[in-house]
Amino acid sequence: MKTAIVHDWLTNHAGSEKVVEGLLHLVPDAPIYTLVHQPENFRGTAFHGRDIRTSFVQRLPRGAQKYQTYLPLMPLAVEQFDLSEYDLILSSSHAVAKGVRVGAGQLHVSYVHTPIRYAWDLQDQYLREAGLDRGVKGAAARVALHYLRLWDTVSANRVDVFLANSHYVARRIWRAYRRRAHVLYPPVDVARFDPTRRREDFYLTMSRLVPYKKIDLIVRTFGRLDRPLVVIGDGPERGRLEALAGPNVTFLGRQEDPVAADLMSRCKAFVFAADEDFGITPVEAQAAGAPVIAYGHGGSLETVQANRTGLHFYEQTEDSLLQAVQAFEARAPFDPAVLRAHAETFRPEHFHVELLAIIAAARQAFRAGHDPEEAVMRLGETPR
């Protein structure tokens, strides 16, 4: 089948981009349609040298850098892609990619990382953090998000099969669109981690430094505990976080994959405080033999097995995290072999095999005039 891949934007090589790499593994010649592209951030990755086609947002003033300011134009932009020559559309969507126009003879499988969080369940937090929770600009933003939700709901009808990166996201897809989704966990490159290294006396967290990742919660808690904490990542919150931190916290900024893998292989434990839809870094930490202390909500409940590969804390508060760290230090060490075995279930090979089966089932049903969604849902799930 002649195939096209659609992804929201290519600006950073993060979790959703690793899913697109998984798609490229299966259809290496497929062009990638995306709103904007920053090629300098993808040197040395699977995206380098690919056929990448951008929208008119790329050509707007500072479109590639300030693309988020053009959010109201994104539905229009993604609808301008002409995909009429393709038999199969694979979209990777956390914003608008699933809303591409498709014809009656085209099969559209959409891998949804999340319905648009800032238009649905995180609207109030998004407006507050952007300083748009009051005034004329705030009112305009609420109107824009209202119409974005309407478009988002209508455009769900353009998808034949929804895939979700976790059961948590599958529930959110049902809540937003009243559509069922087959859960296909993202591919995680576990092979590059070494779980046999000696553990050292420092804790590690790694994330983009943005408010919803809750790195400030981790920094404040470890200030109270006076335990060594290493923070990998960069972002707009870095200055504020460094001002909060005591001498026990070390900020390393953005690091290359080998450095992050080395620290994961040596840290005492990995700390994860975000309410994530899936969260690849906790799986990577387990692949490196590091137990995970994670917020017990969202995707972490599916990737971190309580008392087997890590511990959960159930409130995003300093006291709750502090108690979890103390409980971790009071218990017997976790077995790195068990941690690694669990992480192995997220290997890219599993993703590739499952996705091939999904596409085959959907295609067969589609060509026979049957419901592709029903055919995929009958496949069941791979045990974890």
Side-chain angles (χ1 to χ4, degrees):
M1 301 178 77
K2 192 171 183 181
T3 304
I5 296 171
V6 185
H7 185 58
D8 293 299
W9 46 75
L10 288 171
T11 56
N12 285 296
H13 190 234
S16 62
E17 286 71 34
K18 292 177 182 178
V19 170
V20 178
E21 288 181 339
L23 303 181
L24 286 169
H25 180 83
L26 299 183
V27 284
D29 296 327
I32 303 171
Y33 289 80
T34 188
L35 295 178
V36 297
H37 179 214
Q38 295 178 17
E40 65 275 11
N41 293 335
F42 292 90
R43 296 190 184 98
T45 73
F47 295 92
H48 186 70
R50 298 282 181 175
D51 180 3
I52 297 175
R53 308 177 187 184
T54 58
S55 75
F56 68 77
V57 177
Q58 181 89 16
R59 298 183 292 278
L60 295 175
R62 301 203 67 195
Q65 290 74 36
K66 298 292 184 179
Y67 58 95
Q68 291 169 324
T69 63
Y70 294 109
L71 176 64
L73 295 177
M74 288 182 181
L76 174 64
V78 81
E79 289 180 341
Q80 301 315 300
F81 289 137
D82 180 5
L83 305 178
S84 57
E85 64 181 289
Y86 303 102
D87 306 302
L88 172 65
I89 313 300
L90 298 176
S91 62
S92 162
S93 184
H94 52 76
V96 299
K98 72 162 184 37
V100 290
R101 293 178 298 112
V102 292
Q106 295 174 292
L107 176 63
H108 182 189
V109 178
S110 185
Y111 191 98
V112 175
H113 308 276
T114 176
I116 311 175
R117 298 199 78 176
Y118 37 86
W120 293 98
D121 48 340
L122 283 187
Q123 173 184 290
D124 295 331
Q125 180 181 331
Y126 165 75
L127 293 174
R128 188 166 52 251
E129 291 170 355
L132 296 172
D133 52 339
R134 60 179 64 87
V136 175
K137 289 185 177 180
R142 290 179 187 277
V143 170
L145 291 174
H146 168 71
Y147 283 104
L148 182 58
R149 280 192 295 275
L150 294 179
W151 176 86
D152 192 40
T153 303
V154 170
S155 67
N157 293 323
R158 302 170 188 171
V159 176
D160 294 296
V161 176
F162 275 107
L163 305 178
N165 66 359
S166 66
H167 291 280
Y168 180 52
V169 167
R171 291 192 295 271
R172 296 183 65 244
I173 289 171
W174 175 258
R175 175 65 63 190
Y177 312 136
R178 283 297 189 264
R179 290 285 301 276
R180 294 181 298 170
H182 181 89
V183 176
L184 175 61
Y185 289 121
V188 182
D189 182 13
V190 302
R192 64 190 181 91
F193 297 95
D194 182 2
T196 65
R197 302 276 297 279
R198 184 178 64 84
R199 295 285 130 193
E200 299 179 22
D201 190 28
F202 68 91
Y203 292 83
L204 177 68
T205 191
M206 182 171 73
S207 169
R208 285 182 296 118
L209 303 184
V210 293
Y212 88 92
K213 296 290 188 177
K214 299 295 182 182
I215 303 300
D216 58 340
L217 168 62
I218 299 174
V219 168
R220 289 196 307 267
T221 302
F222 275 79
R224 289 173 58 184
L225 287 163
D226 195 27
R227 302 289 198 278
L229 172 69
V230 174
V231 180
I232 297 176
D234 211 343
E237 287 277 282
R238 182 167 179 177
R240 186 176 77 86
L241 292 169
E242 289 181 331
L244 280 176
N248 63 305
V249 182
T250 302
F251 289 86
L252 297 182
R254 187 174 179 177
Q255 295 293 324
E256 298 298 324
D257 285 348
V259 175
D262 174 65
L263 289 166
M264 282 183 173
S265 295
R266 295 188 286 116
C267 69
K268 191 171 186 176
F270 187 83
V271 186
F272 189 77
D275 179 3
E276 281 283 19
D277 302 305
F278 178 77
I280 284 180
T281 51
V283 178
E284 291 177 333
Q286 292 168 80
V292 179
I293 303 171
Y295 176 47
H297 194 266
S300 295
L301 291 174
E302 301 175 46
T303 59
V304 180
Q305 298 179 331
N307 295 310
R308 189 167 182 268
T309 68
L311 297 177
H312 293 123
F313 61 99
Y314 296 97
E315 296 177 5
Q316 287 177 314
T317 64
E318 292 176 41
D319 286 344
S320 184
L321 175 54
L322 185 147
Q323 291 167 13
V325 175
Q326 291 174 334
F328 168 77
E329 293 184 343
R331 60 157 287 150
F334 286 84
D335 185 348
V338 172
L339 295 165
R340 178 58 178 243
H342 177 57
E344 289 278 346
T345 66
F346 297 92
R347 290 179 68 90
E349 294 85 350
H350 297 309
F351 177 87
H352 301 151
V353 169
E354 291 178 49
L355 182 58
L356 278 173
I358 288 166
I359 292 173
R363 182 189 182 192
Q364 183 177 7
F366 187 75
R367 295 179 68 178
H370 300 147
D371 183 2
E373 179 182 289
E374 184 63 36
V376 170
M377 295 305 293
R378 285 199 300 265
L379 289 176
E381 296 175 17
T382 300
R384 295 283 167 179

